[in-house]
Amino acid sequence: MTLGTGTVHDFCARKLLAAAGVDPNDLRLEEYEHVDRGVALAVRGFDSDRAELVEGAVSIASGILRRWRAPRPELVAGLVRCLESRHSHARGDAAMVLARLVSADRAQDIAPAVPDLIVAADDSYDRVAGPAALALARLGHPGALAPVHRWLASSGRLPFFQVTSLGQVLRPLAGRADELLPGIRRMLVDSADREGLRPVLTALAAWVPVAGGAVPELVSALATRNARWACDALGGIGPAAAPAANILDSFGRGVTRPPRHDGSTLSPDGPRRWHGSQNAAWAHWRITGDSEVFLAFLEDAASRGLGGASLGRLAELGPQAARCASALRPLLESPGPWTRVHAAGAWWRITGDTDAAVPVLLAALEPLWSGDADEPCRAAIRYIARIGAPARAAAPLLEATLSSPRRFPADVYPAARAAMAAFGDDPRPQRTIVS
């Protein structure tokens, strides 16, 4: 794979290579022997006066740091300098690359970027503020809090790019819930029917169970077009969200329907379900412990073909979903890898049968051999970690992944280490191999 074509970033990278007299097709960042050359070209581009060449340097740096784990302090230093660039796109892209480097596999030291990230996050109307705050939040740095407080107090009047950033920045800040929940609760009231509230609701769903203080506002959100996202947050909170149980029961059984996500309404007597019925039925089970409403929904869905979130939520139910097993078994041979993996995970959780599930999960690990890990692959690793010893055949590949010089998505590393521990193997100390 070369740098490729078709995006602004790749176009700018090609402009940088052309300015340096390099054929873009001769720089293959997926091959380690090309990386030093790419680093040298990026370092040269960082200090250019031309916006497209600086953006090209950021693109090349991103390509290297996304693929390889070896520390590259010169690239980090160049990205830090970009935070002070007069070129807005270069600033924002550099901040996002730095944010992506903060992961469970921290080979790159981005501590030198912190002072500039704090300054960058301070301007809520600059596109760099969102990714800068995200980097600080992932670092656990208190500098992320001031912009978040300002955004929460905005009553939904932020530019769209900052609204979308807010949910991402909130997710790693669950440990500061006591400090942030008052502002979130105000936003839930002030922006109850705004589409921009959805990233905040998604973040709350990941804050389980510390988001419990927002239950009254989340219950109110069930009457808006954001009801589906409110269902997920309430379900994540669990029993502390009991005041929502009756409404969720009514939604899950189709007795009443909130506005659709676009604000339109469905006729109570119409044939179509509300698009969030599954979310409501799942939340009702999570809150009450009574699975009947949720199982009735899933059985009806199974009669028409299971798919989507149904499979993951079937896995959560485990043996309680035994009456859905017959509809699940054929999906282990689905042509779609996403469906196969989640069907295998659900099949194991419901039946305890590893003989059928484990081969499907092991096959989904194949991308790891080529240094990749798509969503089905990452889900398979998580299921394998829960299954433990019966999936021990995955150990050599997972151990190779943990010690590989290639960089995988951040969630691969904790899942792979959890799997190795479940096998009874101590994962090797984190290290980077260069070839």
Side-chain angles (χ1 to χ4, degrees):
M1 183 190 302
T2 62
L3 280 171
T5 58
T7 70
V8 171
H9 303 291
D10 288 341
F11 172 77
C12 292
R14 287 175 168 261
K15 291 279 285 187
L16 173 59
L17 296 177
V22 175
D23 182 347
N25 295 314
D26 287 341
L27 184 66
R28 295 182 293 278
L29 297 181
E30 75 279 8
E31 297 180 15
Y32 194 78
E33 57 269 25
H34 287 239
V35 170
D36 285 343
R37 188 181 185 200
V39 169
L41 288 163
V43 169
R44 181 194 301 187
F46 282 132
D47 296 321
S48 174
D49 290 330
R50 294 169 57 186
E52 70 271 21
L53 300 190
V54 179
E55 291 167 25
V58 174
S59 182
I60 291 174
S62 175
I64 293 169
L65 295 170
R66 178 168 49 86
R67 290 178 172 92
W68 301 100
R69 296 166 69 188
R72 292 290 177 177
E74 62 273 61
L75 293 183
V76 173
L79 292 167
V80 172
R81 292 199 302 278
C82 282
L83 295 177
E84 299 179 354
S85 171
R86 68 179 185 274
H87 307 305
S88 62
H89 286 284
R91 285 202 311 276
D93 292 346
M96 185 53 74
V97 175
L98 290 167
R100 289 172 183 152
L101 289 179
V102 185
S103 69
D105 177 52
R106 295 187 184 179
Q108 313 294 332
D109 176 15
I110 75 163
V114 168
D116 287 296
L117 288 169
I118 293 172
V119 172
D122 194 51
D123 184 352
S124 292
Y125 288 87
D126 188 328
R127 69 187 297 271
V128 74
L134 178 59
L136 292 168
R138 288 177 174 174
L139 284 169
H141 194 282
L145 296 173
V148 169
H149 282 303
R150 286 198 306 275
W151 295 341
L152 291 173
S154 71
S155 299
R157 292 188 295 269
L158 285 171
F160 181 75
F161 60 80
Q162 296 300 5
V163 171
T164 56
S165 293
L166 178 55
Q168 289 182 294
V169 177
L170 283 173
R171 286 178 69 92
L173 293 176
R176 310 301 288 260
D178 288 347
E179 182 177 351
L180 294 171
L181 267 177
I184 291 173
R185 295 179 70 179
R186 286 193 302 273
M187 179 174 253
L188 289 173
V189 172
D190 294 342
S191 305
D193 202 41
R194 291 178 182 265
E195 186 175 346
L197 188 64
R198 292 171 190 172
V200 177
L201 293 169
T202 300
L204 285 180
W207 272 23
V208 295
V210 296
V215 166
E217 291 76 20
L218 290 169
V219 171
S220 296
L222 293 176
T224 74
R225 62 179 180 151
N226 292 322
R228 189 180 80 187
W229 291 266
C231 287
D232 287 343
L234 288 161
I237 291 167
N246 289 339
I247 301 173
L248 295 169
D249 174 87
S250 180
F251 288 172
R253 290 186 292 111
V255 175
T256 58
R257 307 179 187 193
R260 301 183 70 220
H261 66 279
D262 60 1
S264 62
T265 58
L266 285 170
S267 167
D269 301 321
R272 294 178 59 192
R273 282 184 179 270
W274 172 53
H275 68 282
S277 295
Q278 180 181 164
N279 307 67
W282 169 82
H284 181 267
W285 164 62
R286 292 272 300 178
I287 291 167
T288 67
D290 179 356
S291 61
E292 281 307 308
V293 173
F294 189 29
L295 277 171
F297 178 92
L298 291 172
E299 285 183 295
D300 180 63
S303 68
R304 291 175 280 108
L306 288 167
S310 302
L311 295 171
R313 289 178 167 171
L314 264 176
E316 286 187 62
L317 273 171
Q320 294 181 73
R323 57 204 213 209
C324 295
S326 60
L328 186 63
R329 181 64 178 84
L331 298 181
L332 272 66
E333 299 176 4
S334 167
W338 193 98
T339 298
R340 286 198 304 273
V341 165
H342 287 284
W347 176 260
W348 165 70
R349 284 280 292 123
I350 292 167
T351 68
D353 175 17
T354 57
D355 290 344
V358 168
V360 175
L361 299 175
L362 294 177
L365 303 184
E366 186 67 23
L368 295 174
W369 289 113
S370 58
D372 193 12
D374 56 14
E375 196 283 334
C377 175
R378 303 199 304 277
I381 299 173
R382 294 192 294 271
Y383 283 123
I384 284 168
R386 295 174 195 143
I387 290 171
R392 199 182 188 287
L397 178 53
L398 294 180
E399 185 174 21
T401 297
L402 288 170
S403 59
S404 170
R406 299 299 296 260
R407 176 178 296 282
F408 294 90
D411 58 347
V412 166
Y413 298 99
R417 292 187 188 103
M420 296 296 288
F423 301 153
D425 296 346
D426 290 328
R428 291 184 179 179
Q430 188 173 314
R431 61 194 177 100
T432 299
I433 298 174
V434 295
S435 54

